[in-house]
Amino acid sequence: MNQQLRSQAIPFIDISAQRQRIGKAIDEAVSRVLNHCQFINGPEVTQLEAELAAFSGARHVVTCASGTDALLMVLMAKGVGRGDAVLCPSFTFCATGEAVALAGATPVFVDVDETTFNIDPASLTRGIATAKRLGLKPKAVIPVDLFGQSADHDSVAEIADAEGLFVLDDAAQGFGASFKGRRLGTFGLATATSFFPAKPLGCFGDGGAIFTDDAGLADTLRSIRVHGQGGDRYDNVRLGLTARLDTMQAAILIEKLRVFEDEIAARNVVADRYARGLGNAVTVPRLAAGCSSVWAQYTIRLPAGIHSGALHCCNWTQLHSATARLQSCTQAPRDRWLLPRAQCRPD
């Protein structure tokens, strides 16, 4: 007999539960900003950049207003524009390709690996050939660390080096993850990330950052984020943006970064529970060799012929058993906000 499970809404990210842990520290950090009134480029912005650099291992960090701005700023700094091709995975959020189009270049989409959903190196090679055949100049590749798991950065770097492309890693969902023992933020020319509230490290608004070991690029990025500013406030030496991270968000992120390591570890504990509880009912995500994940999303694949709106067609006895085994990870308040609700993707 089929068993009907009770429908219970689960927040995608329970930020209010996180505030139970660090709310007082965040309130005090915000209060400090309100007291010193340096709302633009206040001392917390510089402090956050230094702490993000120490966390990631990157030499330079330039904060900005969003993850989309982070991508666009690097493309602008490298002079990417009309006639250029930028290789992007076909399975990603629209901002990856949108930033390329905003720069005036052409996004060329390539396939992803069916297990990790990250960029497929073989398809990347074919995509480069396609771009050349269309009369475009391949300029860069943007691998995406989708759902929190690192892409295969060794394979991407090998292809990019052979073709003379620079690599801009889109770690909007993956910041905090690692590849072969190195944290994201240290691969390619630059790494872009987002601090949107639903991200593993999120602020209370919009925000982003760029990580690079290239001092010259970092200087150019700092200019671009403030209207192409040169030596002084009214010296504008290039086209730029209004793309600063405001001080209030920087103050919030400083407090969140203090507990980020603990949150990553806890997310992985919950992800392991999901895998054990759901692995015999659906296809659960798997980590590639050498990769870690911060589990921005936990995305399951449903059996062939089943979609998320028709789960009543599943083997409910099997799924109910899996759900029962998951109860231990949904009871503790501290676990609820650590991992987003599972997402369904049909095979």
Side-chain angles (χ1 to χ4, degrees):
M1 178 184 297
N2 287 345
Q3 295 177 327
Q4 296 296 323
L5 301 180
R6 282 188 306 169
S7 176
Q8 182 179 2
I10 301 174
F12 182 69
I13 293 289
D14 193 347
I15 297 175
S16 63
Q18 188 190 50
R19 277 191 55 79
Q20 293 176 18
R21 181 183 184 190
I22 58 173
K24 184 175 184 295
I26 289 177
D27 291 346
E28 291 173 351
V30 170
S31 180
R32 287 192 292 272
V33 177
L34 293 174
N35 287 332
H36 67 54
C37 295
Q38 297 179 58
F39 301 115
I40 303 297
N41 289 335
E44 287 83 357
V45 175
T46 303
Q47 180 184 345
L48 175 64
E49 290 177 341
E51 293 186 8
L52 288 170
F55 178 88
S56 65
R59 289 191 177 93
H60 307 280
V61 175
V62 179
T63 54
C64 58
S66 71
T68 305
D69 280 345
L71 293 169
L72 178 59
M73 287 167 61
V74 175
L75 296 174
M76 291 173 66
K78 293 298 292 180
V80 174
R82 187 178 300 276
D84 294 332
V86 178
L87 287 297
C88 307
S90 57
F91 190 35
T92 181
F93 183 62
C94 69
T96 308
E98 180 182 45
V100 176
L102 285 170
T106 301
V108 175
F109 293 99
V110 301
D111 209 349
V112 296
D113 178 84
E114 65 177 349
T115 301
T116 65
F117 304 127
N118 284 328
I119 195 165
D120 176 28
S123 185
L124 173 59
T125 299
R126 293 193 296 271
I128 293 169
T130 297
K132 292 177 179 178
R133 189 168 64 250
L134 294 173
L136 299 170
K137 180 183 179 182
K139 197 76 171 283
V141 55
I142 306 180
V144 177
D145 308 297
L146 198 68
F147 300 146
Q149 178 176 184
S150 167
D152 182 354
H153 288 285
D154 281 352
S155 295
V156 170
E158 183 180 358
I159 295 168
D161 288 346
E163 295 287 346
L165 313 181
F166 72 85
V167 176
L168 168 57
D169 184 27
D170 183 345
Q173 295 184 349
F175 180 67
S178 61
F179 178 71
K180 295 187 176 179
R182 285 171 55 193
R183 280 244 170 87
L184 298 185
T186 60
F187 294 93
L189 173 69
T191 296
T193 197
S194 167
F195 299 130
F196 185 78
K199 296 296 189 288
L201 180 63
C203 56
F204 287 173
D206 278 310
I210 304 157
F211 303 75
T212 184
D213 286 343
D214 188 317
L217 176 63
D219 286 342
T220 302
L221 292 169
R222 292 187 187 102
S223 169
I224 288 173
R225 75 175 171 184
V226 191
H227 300 289
Q229 184 173 293
D232 62 60
R233 184 174 180 179
Y234 297 109
D235 177 26
N236 304 98
V237 298
R238 58 176 57 84
L239 290 177
L241 307 168
T242 305
R244 297 172 294 242
L245 178 73
D246 71 68
T247 309
M248 198 84 74
Q249 300 302 340
I252 291 166
L253 285 164
I254 288 169
E255 299 306 320
K256 288 198 169 192
L257 186 59
R258 298 190 202 283
V259 299
F260 192 37
E261 289 266 25
D262 185 41
E263 291 185 3
I264 293 171
R267 282 172 174 262
N268 276 274
V269 169
V270 178
D272 288 344
R273 291 176 181 171
Y274 280 168
R276 292 195 304 270
L278 292 172
N280 63 345
V282 297
T283 302
V284 297
R286 304 292 182 190
L287 294 181
C291 294
S292 73
S293 179
V294 291
W295 302 105
Q297 281 87 39
Y298 189 94
T299 303
I300 61 174
R301 298 177 69 175
L302 304 179
I306 304 299
H307 59 85
S308 58
L311 284 177
H312 62 276
C313 298
C314 286
N315 183 335
W316 278 113
T317 301
Q318 187 179 38
L319 194 56
H320 184 269
S321 175
T323 304
R325 290 193 294 274
L326 287 173
Q327 287 181 349
S328 62
C329 76
T330 59
Q331 294 301 314
R334 189 167 174 273
D335 282 349
R336 284 203 301 267
W337 53 269
L338 290 172
L339 195 62
R341 65 173 182 261
Q343 295 185 336
C344 301
R345 183 177 187 272
D347 274 332

